[in-house]
Amino acid sequence: NAGVTQTPKFQVLKTGQSMTLQCAQDMNHNSMYWYRQDPGMGLRLIYYSASEGTTDKGEVPNGYNVSRLNKREFSLRLESAAPSQTSVYFCASSESEDRSSYEQYFGPGTRLTVT
Amino acid sequence: SQKIEQNSEALNIQEGKTATLTCNYTNYSPAYLQWYRQDPGRGPVFLLLIRENEKEKRKERLKVTFDTTLKQSLFHITASQPADSATYLCALGGYQKVTFGIGTKLQVIP
């Protein structure tokens, strides 16, 4: 049981380049989330998916797109990277459909630097 | 707008003492509140959840209180150990998503 996995662990991009961050969970969770974490700002929600086939914007969605490929996978795409997107990105999942469990399980993070 | 406040400064305590971390919030009526632990270079790990109709929750050496009138949660670690050194995040829960505070760094000194 790997929990939540993210790839890559580290990435350096030049301004204007694009990339996709991958996330997968093996806990059969319904909800998945993408956060970014910056010093002094805490974790901020970028996008989330409450169930397979649905996605919604979080607090800071500009410059990002997401795809909920299936129940296991939720990817985050940067179409044209900017230095302001330098951050640590975390994917998380939770089983919230029946409201019985709200705790979120986080992946190890992707450290992205945009130069 | 919604605001969550946690002590932004680090909290240093002596081993064996009780550590108390504070989470205050405004313009929010959360259905529940969570506490997470985050170690450097790693993702947060869930510790405890307390619902709006609960006053107190315990798990081993951890205790959380939730006062919806004061809009405050206190997180206690009793008999603290150096291994408890980490950043602790509070998170307010609503429909389908939660909002995180910036966290308080706890350092337990041997």
Side-chain angles (χ1 to χ4, degrees), chain A residues 16-29:
Chain A
Q17 287 185 318
S18 62
M19 78 161 298
T20 299
L21 282 64
Q22 306 286 354
C23 174
Q25 52 92 7
D26 62 1
M27 296 171 282
N28 202 36
H29 285 170

Side-chain angles (χ1 to χ4, degrees), chain A residues 33 35 37 40-43 45 48 50 56-58 90 96 99-100 102-104 106-108 111, chain B residues 32 34 36 38 40-46 49 51 89 94-103:
Chain A
Y33 311 83
Y35 295 91
Q37 188 173 39
M41 300 291 289
L43 280 162
L45 183 64
Y48 67 100
D56 284 286
K57 294 178 181 179
F90 289 102
S96 64
R99 305 286 189 266
S100 65
Y102 300 92
E103 61 206 65
Q104 296 194 10
F106 284 80
R111 283 140 190 84
Chain B
Y32 57 91
Q34 300 175 331
Y36 289 78
Q38 187 173 23
R42 310 194 76 158
V45 175
F46 171 80
L49 178 150
R51 299 179 191 277
L89 312 174
Y95 180 67
Q96 292 184 338
K97 55 185 179 178
V98 299
T99 302
F100 284 85
I102 64 171

Side-chain angles (χ1 to χ4, degrees), chain B residues 23-69:
Chain B
C23 177
N24 295 301
Y25 60 93
T26 56
N27 297 324
Y28 207 103
S29 296
Y32 57 91
L33 187 146
Q34 300 175 331
W35 284 88
Y36 289 78
R37 169 185 173 138
Q38 187 173 23
D39 292 287
R42 310 194 76 158
V45 175
F46 171 80
L47 296 174
L48 278 169
L49 178 150
I50 186 166
R51 299 179 191 277
E52 60 179 337
N53 60 350
E54 297 175 316
K55 296 283 188 196
E56 183 179 298
K57 206 77 168 285
R58 291 175 186 261
K59 179 182 176 183
E60 298 172 354
R61 294 185 296 113
L62 308 180
K63 185 178 86 171
V64 172
T65 63
F66 192 12
D67 189 325
T68 55
T69 301

Side-chain angles (χ1 to χ4, degrees), chain A:
Chain A
N1 209 351
V4 179
T5 56
Q6 291 183 237
T7 55
K9 285 187 167 49
F10 300 93
Q11 184 72 47
V12 179
L13 291 178
K14 294 189 187 310
T15 297
Q17 287 185 318
S18 62
M19 78 161 298
T20 299
L21 282 64
Q22 306 286 354
C23 174
Q25 52 92 7
D26 62 1
M27 296 171 282
N28 202 36
H29 285 170
N30 292 297
S31 298
M32 297 186 73
Y33 311 83
W34 275 106
Y35 295 91
R36 60 178 289 173
Q37 188 173 39
D38 302 290
M41 300 291 289
L43 280 162
R44 291 182 292 169
L45 183 64
I46 304 171
Y47 270 93
Y48 67 100
S49 170
S51 61
E52 186 179 352
T54 68
T55 60
D56 284 286
K57 294 178 181 179
E59 183 185 353
V60 288
N62 291 346
Y64 305 95
N65 285 302
V66 290
S67 295
R68 183 76 183 266
L69 305 169
N70 47 55
K71 193 170 186 180
R72 289 187 65 248
E73 298 170 290
F74 190 37
S75 62
L76 178 72
R77 181 158 178 85
L78 287 70
E79 291 291 352
S80 179
S84 60
Q85 294 178 305
T86 293
S87 188
V88 180
Y89 291 85
F90 289 102
C91 177
S93 70
S94 71
E95 185 181 1
S96 64
E97 188 175 82
D98 63 355
R99 305 286 189 266
S100 65
S101 175
Y102 300 92
E103 61 206 65
Q104 296 194 10
Y105 294 80
F106 284 80
T110 295
R111 283 140 190 84
L112 174 68
T113 302
V114 183
T115 61

